[in-house]
Amino acid sequence: MTEHFNTHKASIVLHDGDIWVIDFKRADGRPHYAVRFYIDESISSVHIEGDLGYCISVFDSRNSIQDISAMISNVPYWVGKFRCSSDKYIWDESEVLEKLEDYAQNVYEALDDKEEYFEMIQSIMDTFSDTDGLMINTDEAYHNWFTVLRLEELDPTSLGRKVHPRVYLWAEALNIALDQLNMLKQDINKTTNYGEDC
């Protein structure tokens, strides 16, 4: 368990049929790393809000809250179900450069002027953003990417892209919350509950 959730307690704010609202926050009430889950079992939708950002995901089929938690634990699969979210990816600049150079290796070997190669790579890397990866948003970078390096079939934003740590924290938070509420190992009573603490 991440240290950020060491003092967190889960509580059921609302349970009405297929609808669950679960709070997961620090016992002292401070908002740091607080998460609220709105879950609809009828379509397996999960709306997350709180200190770690926002997300709406939908699996489009009926599942129990336990099965939804299990699907969310498979983070790469879950990300594909996002309808919208706070930043779901981060980009590693050194990995972007490494991958770019791998894809451009044949151009490097073909060019007599190695300095020209490094200038092309730099023009592309100058469009790098921590929040969006390679943007290829200058004329020079565009020319080098498509005309010289001939990387038209490669999505520049895929290079060095990793799932944002917040997404893993959301998945962990739901699993811990359901475990605290003893909801992972037993059938859930389908009656309506309000403000029920673990």
Side-chain angles (χ1 to χ4, degrees):
M1 175 173 63
T2 179
E3 62 184 19
H4 301 298
F5 298 142
N6 282 346
T7 66
H8 275 52
K9 282 180 58 80
S11 62
I12 298 172
V13 177
L14 168 70
H15 175 209
D16 186 1
D18 291 328
I19 307 298
W20 295 87
V21 180
I22 297 172
D23 274 353
F24 188 56
K25 58 188 177 183
R26 290 169 50 130
D28 63 11
R30 294 175 66 194
H32 305 296
Y33 287 80
V35 185
R36 173 170 276 187
F37 298 95
Y38 300 86
I39 299 172
D40 182 347
E41 293 176 308
S42 69
I43 57 171
S44 299
S45 70
V46 181
H47 174 164
I48 297 170
E49 63 181 44
D51 190 46
L52 293 171
Y54 301 84
C55 176
I56 296 174
S57 63
V58 183
F59 292 93
D60 291 315
S61 62
R62 174 177 285 282
N63 287 285
S64 69
I65 196 168
Q66 297 91 342
D67 288 341
I68 292 169
S69 178
M71 291 188 295
I72 283 175
S73 293
N74 182 349
V75 170
Y77 171 69
W78 179 35
V79 168
K81 302 298 182 179
F82 282 16
R83 299 292 172 88
C84 62
S85 75
S86 302
D87 300 330
K88 63 182 175 182
Y89 295 116
I90 55 172
W91 282 264
D92 182 326
E93 186 172 8
S94 61
E95 189 173 319
V96 170
L97 177 59
E98 180 182 330
K99 296 286 187 187
L100 177 59
E101 289 177 338
D102 284 348
Y103 283 109
Q105 184 64 34
N106 60 331
V107 174
Y108 175 80
E109 293 168 356
L111 282 174
D112 292 330
D113 184 355
K114 304 305 184 194
E115 187 61 33
E116 181 184 354
Y117 166 83
F118 289 117
E119 287 174 1
M120 286 189 295
I121 295 294
Q122 188 58 52
S123 75
I124 292 170
M125 288 303 298
D126 285 344
T127 71
F128 176 81
S129 160
D130 289 332
T131 58
D132 297 299
L134 288 179
M135 304 291 291
I136 315 299
N137 56 0
T138 67
D139 290 341
E140 184 180 8
Y142 186 90
H143 172 76
N144 289 331
W145 182 271
F146 290 99
T147 307
V148 181
L149 300 181
R150 299 188 181 280
L151 298 175
E152 60 271 6
E153 294 183 5
L154 179 65
D155 175 8
T157 63
S158 69
L159 300 183
R161 184 175 67 192
K162 300 176 181 179
V163 175
H164 198 290
R166 85 170 78 241
V167 180
Y168 290 94
L169 289 172
W170 289 331
E172 182 180 4
L174 180 58
N175 190 61
I176 296 169
L178 294 184
D179 188 45
Q180 285 185 8
L181 295 166
N182 295 315
M183 294 171 63
L184 289 180
K185 299 173 185 165
Q186 64 184 30
D187 291 334
I188 306 303
N189 182 347
K190 292 294 186 178
T191 59
T192 302
N193 301 295
Y194 297 93
E196 183 178 299
D197 288 332
C198 62

